[in-house]
Amino acid sequence: GRKVLIVYAHQEPKSLNGSLKRVAVEELSKQGCSVTVSDLYAMQFEPRATRNDIVGCLHNSEEFNYAVETWEAYKRGGLSSDVSEEQRKVQEADLLIFQFPLYWFSMPAIMKGWMDRVLVQGFAHEFPNCYDSGLLKNKLSLFSFTTGGSEEMYAKGGISGDIRYLLWPMQHGIMHFCGVKVLAPHICFAPEYVSEEKRKEMLNAWAQRLKTIWKEEPINCSPEWYFK
Amino acid sequence: GRKVLIVYAHQEPKSLNGSLKRVAVEELSKQGCSVTVSDLYAMQFEPRATRNDIVGCLHNSEEFNYAVETWEAYKRGGLSSDVSEEQRKVQEADLLIFQFPLYWFSMPAIMKGWMDRVLVQGFAHEFPNCYDSGLLKNKLSLFSFTTGGSEEMYAKGGISGDIRYLLWPMQHGIMHFCGVKVLAPHICFAPEYVSEEKRKEMLNAWAQRLKTIWKEEPINCSPEWYFK
């Protein structure tokens, strides 16, 4: 059975994000997948990248360099347990699903902190092993999110610009950099401004998509996909 | 005298980011500006958007909606004091400088949390007052950051793509959305891989730029600037 990690960032289980997460757990479990959820708010996940992420002595205590220190700590098994636990989940997963409400054209800070702290050098990348040769290759990722703005606002020529523009840092800058292949994003536009029936359709569409998720081809994660 | 708020996110005062921050405080103070620094790591600034940001009762305690609750709380003066203190600093400022190391094609989570929690509806925007009519119009902003990757990697056609691609969510999605005008970013590429002399030149160039910062014209914050 395939393994899926859902990294989930919403405060409210009753939200559409909460329902999308539940639908994914149900559908993927039904398929025989083993599904793990990192419920970041429930875990009170720490988003700040600090000295506390390194157990024991620093490599250079004169001048703190987070990237260097976490790289060194990773190599000697000295990252804090909350970080290494997330790394273990990532290592085991075939597919990473990120489920969140779009905050400021990006993910909420609590999820950005997961990226900042979990995907350290040595674990997720190690020059020159980045992009297509990143250390997490052979894994898939999918960004599933809700927006405040409407589909029209996020159209090419719309006031907020093509929604693909804002996917570049998340999909290319993070996932592709680590070698993770990227499936097409799953976007629910402005769920707060539609009927209850339309929200049910959104949940249904997500469940339907997940039925054939393992047959999907990754996107071509190059500038053409985003800015053509 | 003009007022400047520097929102600063680096753990180490001896870092280049720390020096860039100090240089800005010195140069702007010399000009007679009043400069305030929000040193996010030193403040242990909370990046997570939670129920704790609302003092007292919720508007709807059955289903927590962060955007709605913070909007309502803002209107009745019921946001947590750390958030309202940052709002006060923003309100007074003519120029906002964001100083940080680029983490994953974006700002560190602690700074993203500042955006998520401080720029709430009612304070920074309130439909239809967004983009050119955002509530923080007549203010300027400037993203000043360091990168791990080289200028070549961040060139058009480079492996990481034009650096402007990743500025879209920060400059357009956040600042422009709130009506804040955007000055050209200030980027120090790969300071860890250059000589001490070159790093001194970087600091000098920043001080020089700040001497005439008030004469600069904002960029045209439209897709053409980013993706042309």
Side-chain angles (χ1 to χ4, degrees):
Chain A
R2 288 180 165 112
K3 289 184 171 151
V4 180
L5 172 61
I6 303 177
V7 182
Y8 164 71
H10 202 289
Q11 307 91 346
E12 174 58 64
K14 294 179 197 161
S15 64
L16 188 72
N17 272 277
S19 299
L20 289 161
K21 184 258 289 172
R22 251 189 329 277
V23 158
V25 172
E26 285 167 14
E27 172 55 34
L28 293 165
S29 301
K30 216 191 301 178
Q31 292 174 21
C33 299
S34 147
V35 186
T36 303
V37 177
S38 284
D39 182 341
L40 300 181
Y41 286 104
M43 295 158 72
Q44 299 187 48
F45 189 79
E46 170 63 71
R48 292 165 286 210
T50 73
R51 194 261 174 262
N52 297 337
D53 291 351
I54 298 99
V55 176
C57 292
L58 293 177
H59 179 71
N60 176 2
S61 58
E62 292 298 304
E63 191 175 328
F64 182 75
N65 180 315
Y66 186 78
V68 169
E69 292 296 342
T70 51
W71 187 10
E72 293 294 333
Y74 175 76
K75 286 188 281 189
R76 63 173 171 80
L79 285 172
S80 64
S81 59
D82 61 335
V83 171
S84 51
E85 174 66 10
E86 294 305 302
Q87 291 179 338
R88 190 191 57 71
K89 296 177 192 171
V90 170
Q91 199 59 75
E92 290 189 350
D94 300 297
L95 167 62
L96 311 171
I97 295 176
F98 298 96
Q99 180 67 57
F100 58 99
L102 197 68
Y103 275 19
W104 291 117
F105 278 44
S106 184
M107 60 193 89
I110 199 169
M111 186 177 278
K112 181 58 165 53
W114 187 95
M115 304 289 179
D116 291 352
R117 297 178 65 232
V118 175
L119 303 176
V120 307
Q121 188 154 4
F123 171 69
H125 55 93
E126 187 156 12
F127 192 80
N129 290 118
C130 59
Y131 292 112
D132 290 345
S133 58
L135 300 180
L136 302 181
K137 58 180 181 293
N138 303 323
K139 295 183 192 300
L140 295 168
S141 63
L142 193 165
F143 287 86
S144 173
F145 57 97
T146 58
T147 69
S150 66
E151 191 159 8
E152 293 66 41
M153 291 167 76
Y154 284 114
K156 209 178 178 87
I159 194 165
S160 293
D162 193 325
I163 191 91
R164 291 191 177 191
Y165 296 165
L166 62 82
L167 290 166
W168 172 257
M170 299 190 276
Q171 294 187 350
H172 180 76
I174 308 179
M175 288 300 125
H176 190 187
F177 189 86
C178 298
V180 182
K181 289 181 184 64
V182 177
L183 298 177
H186 199 84
I187 309 170
C188 294
F189 287 100
E192 293 180 45
Y193 303 99
V194 303
S195 64
E196 186 56 33
E197 189 183 328
K198 190 84 185 65
R199 275 195 294 279
K200 278 190 186 146
E201 282 173 32
M202 288 176 170
L203 292 175
N204 214 9
W206 180 222
Q208 285 301 313
R209 179 176 171 191
L210 289 171
K211 287 188 199 301
T212 53
I213 198 76
W214 303 104
K215 294 184 182 160
E216 289 190 19
E217 287 295 319
I219 66 163
N220 171 22
C221 195
S222 71
E224 291 66 42
W225 189 87
Y226 299 88
F227 313 118
K228 84 292 164 195
Chain B
R2 289 181 166 110
K3 290 185 171 148
V4 180
L5 171 61
I6 303 179
V7 182
Y8 163 70
H10 201 289
Q11 308 89 347
E12 174 57 64
K14 294 179 195 161
S15 63
L16 188 74
N17 272 279
S19 299
L20 288 161
K21 184 258 289 173
R22 253 189 325 281
V23 159
V25 172
E26 285 167 16
E27 172 56 34
L28 293 164
S29 300
K30 217 190 300 176
Q31 292 174 20
C33 299
S34 148
V35 186
T36 303
V37 177
S38 286
D39 183 341
L40 300 181
Y41 287 104
M43 296 156 74
Q44 300 187 49
F45 189 79
E46 171 62 70
R48 291 166 286 209
T50 71
R51 193 256 176 265
N52 297 337
D53 291 352
I54 297 100
V55 176
C57 292
L58 294 177
H59 180 69
N60 175 3
S61 58
E62 294 297 306
E63 191 174 330
F64 183 75
N65 181 315
Y66 186 78
V68 169
E69 292 296 340
T70 51
W71 187 11
E72 293 294 332
Y74 174 78
K75 286 187 282 189
R76 63 175 172 80
L79 285 173
S80 64
S81 58
D82 62 336
V83 171
S84 51
E85 174 65 10
E86 295 304 302
Q87 291 179 339
R88 191 193 54 74
K89 296 177 191 172
V90 170
Q91 199 60 73
E92 289 188 351
D94 299 298
L95 167 63
L96 311 172
I97 296 178
F98 298 95
Q99 181 67 57
F100 59 99
L102 197 67
Y103 276 17
W104 291 117
F105 279 43
S106 184
M107 59 191 89
I110 199 169
M111 185 176 279
K112 180 59 165 53
W114 187 95
M115 305 289 178
D116 291 351
R117 297 178 63 230
V118 175
L119 304 176
V120 307
Q121 188 153 6
F123 171 69
H125 55 92
E126 188 158 9
F127 194 79
N129 290 117
C130 58
Y131 291 111
D132 291 345
S133 58
L135 300 179
L136 303 180
K137 57 181 184 291
N138 302 321
K139 296 183 191 299
L140 295 167
S141 63
L142 193 165
F143 287 85
S144 173
F145 57 97
T146 59
T147 68
S150 67
E151 191 159 6
E152 293 68 40
M153 289 166 78
Y154 284 113
K156 208 176 177 87
I159 193 164
S160 293
D162 193 325
I163 192 92
R164 291 190 178 192
Y165 296 164
L166 61 82
L167 291 164
W168 173 257
M170 298 189 277
Q171 294 187 348
H172 179 76
I174 307 180
M175 288 300 126
H176 189 186
F177 189 86
C178 298
V180 182
K181 288 181 184 63
V182 177
L183 298 178
H186 199 83
I187 309 170
C188 293
F189 287 99
E192 293 181 43
Y193 304 99
V194 303
S195 65
E196 186 58 33
E197 191 184 327
K198 189 82 185 65
R199 275 193 295 277
K200 278 190 185 144
E201 282 174 32
M202 287 174 170
L203 292 176
N204 215 10
W206 179 223
Q208 285 303 312
R209 179 176 172 189
L210 290 172
K211 286 188 198 303
T212 53
I213 197 77
W214 303 105
K215 293 182 183 159
E216 289 190 19
E217 287 293 321
I219 66 164
N220 169 24
C221 196
S222 71
E224 290 67 41
W225 189 88
Y226 299 87
F227 312 117
K228 83 287 163 200

